[in-house]
Amino acid sequence: MGWLVPIITLLRTKLQQLNVASKFCEPLIAALLSGLEKRFGEMLTDPELIAAAILVPKFKTCWTSDENILKLGLNLRSHLDCQAENHISEGSQSSEEEDFFSSLKKTSPLETTQQLDAYLGCPRDTVEVLKSFPAVCQLSLKLNMALPASAACERLFTVAGLIFRPKRACTGSKNFENQLLLRLNNAYW
């Protein structure tokens, strides 16, 4: 999830730069830009997707310079605070016999926001940097975790089953992939 918004934002920026430099492809570039806006416009302002992008160490906040988008995404401090409060309440429900030192492991909301600030200030951009910030790592896993099953996956396999019939057993993988892509996106063409 965290890769979607930065990639679409970067693609839009590159297309806008091409639009200025291009003389002959302006209609094509305009159509691509309007298609991106039509398909991904709402997603580009979704606070959860923006927060997921910020929690990918490769991107953090460098993929956009728009302060309003960053403010939407940096509302993840409230997610971190809720996560810390949930962790505290879960720890109090467990019996003392399970973990005698559980009260020492609790993190306060202030510590989690400090972890977020330290994460954003960290110059490294590898995934290992998340291990240094446990609260940020947990939220990153929560926001960037792919769902194991969804309606979209079920629809994909159903349509693939309709395309790949015994009479089409010799269809090449590229042809099959193109047919699947066209069938699933027939609303756009």
Side-chain angles (χ1 to χ4, degrees):
M1 298 301 267
W3 288 74
L4 177 70
V5 177
I7 288 174
I8 299 299
T9 303
L10 183 63
L11 182 61
R12 259 188 8 193
T13 303
K14 297 252 184 203
L15 284 172
Q16 288 168 348
Q17 290 171 353
L18 274 174
N19 199 15
V20 171
S22 176
K23 295 178 182 176
F24 302 107
C25 296
E26 289 176 7
L28 174 64
I29 294 171
L32 288 171
L33 284 170
S34 68
L36 281 174
E37 187 62 36
K38 179 181 176 184
R39 177 68 176 99
F40 298 105
E42 293 177 14
M43 292 180 190
L44 295 177
T45 57
D46 183 7
E48 193 166 308
L49 289 175
I50 295 169
I54 290 171
L55 292 174
V56 173
K58 184 167 188 70
F59 300 123
K60 293 184 184 175
T61 57
C62 68
W63 53 273
T64 184
S65 58
D66 188 356
E67 290 296 322
N68 295 327
I69 289 177
L70 290 177
K71 284 180 187 176
L72 281 174
L74 288 175
N75 283 336
L76 62 97
R77 293 178 200 272
S78 61
H79 285 288
L80 282 169
D81 294 342
C82 292
Q83 184 178 354
E85 290 171 5
N86 289 342
H87 183 69
I88 290 170
S89 65
E90 287 172 4
S92 63
Q93 291 173 356
S94 66
S95 68
E96 291 182 13
E97 294 173 4
E98 290 177 16
D99 189 6
F100 181 74
F101 299 104
S102 64
S103 63
L104 298 176
K105 296 179 187 175
K106 296 176 184 174
T107 57
S108 69
L110 180 61
E111 290 176 11
T112 57
T113 54
Q114 288 173 345
Q115 283 185 22
L116 178 64
D117 293 336
Y119 162 76
L120 291 174
C122 185
R124 294 183 294 159
D125 66 348
T126 60
V127 178
E128 285 79 30
V129 77
L130 286 173
K131 294 177 184 173
S132 305
F133 310 104
V136 174
C137 183
Q138 286 179 344
L139 187 60
S140 178
L141 286 174
K142 178 183 172 188
L143 292 177
N144 288 314
M145 184 68 62
L147 297 175
S150 68
C153 293
E154 295 292 329
R155 190 168 38 253
L156 174 73
F157 286 112
T158 301
V159 171
L162 293 173
I163 292 172
F164 200 66
R165 292 286 186 199
K167 289 185 177 181
R168 291 186 171 183
C170 295
T171 302
S173 62
K174 192 68 175 169
N175 189 8
F176 173 72
E177 186 178 329
N178 287 337
Q179 286 181 24
L180 187 62
L181 182 70
L182 289 171
R183 178 92 46 104
L184 287 172
N185 293 310
N186 63 356
Y188 298 106
W189 57 276

